[in-house]
Amino acid sequence: MKTFSLKFENSISYRIFAPQFTFCSILNVLAMPKQKTNSGAKKRFKITGTGKIKRKHAFHSHILTKKSNKRKRNLVSATLVSSADTNRIEGLLCM
């Protein structure tokens, strides 16, 4: 059975009994988890040069025959995310 003694900057000593783990895997468990970007959000939103969040319009993928040409044309262009949703989207994008 292997025994690992770890000491970090805050002078707290950890003693770990780990027969099946290596020293590197113990360090990975004790490290803080990394913050990950939501994979669905990174496909749907882009950041502009000024830091605003750009999105696409909905309702432009199918059932287009009953929509007028003007409506479909206006749905093509991208727009900015509203100020009410900005904080939530920034959290998903880890900004």
Side-chain angles (χ1 to χ4, degrees):
M1 183 182 305
K2 294 181 181 178
T3 304
F4 297 107
S5 294
L6 303 175
K7 195 162 190 173
F8 293 104
E9 299 166 358
N10 55 5
S11 72
I12 296 175
S13 165
Y14 297 95
R15 220 176 142 91
I16 300 169
F17 299 97
Q20 72 273 20
F21 297 113
T22 62
F23 183 72
C24 292
S25 64
I26 299 290
L27 287 178
N28 288 337
V29 169
L30 291 176
M32 291 295 292
K34 295 182 179 178
Q35 198 172 18
K36 293 188 177 179
T37 302
N38 184 285
S39 60
K42 67 184 171 186
K43 296 169 190 171
R44 289 173 171 84
F45 301 104
K46 301 289 180 214
I47 309 300
T48 63
T50 57
K52 297 175 182 173
I53 303 172
K54 191 167 66 169
R55 69 170 177 88
K56 292 182 178 178
H57 282 282
F59 307 109
H60 190 64
S61 59
H62 60 97
I63 315 176
L64 299 174
T65 53
K66 60 175 134 182
K67 295 172 186 161
S68 68
N69 287 334
K70 179 182 178 181
R71 183 175 170 191
K72 289 187 280 191
R73 186 172 59 245
N74 289 335
L75 290 174
V76 170
S77 61
T79 186
L80 297 176
V81 172
S82 69
S83 59
D85 295 327
T86 302
N87 288 337
R88 189 164 46 90
I89 303 300
E90 285 176 352
L92 292 173
L93 296 174
C94 297
M95 293 177 62

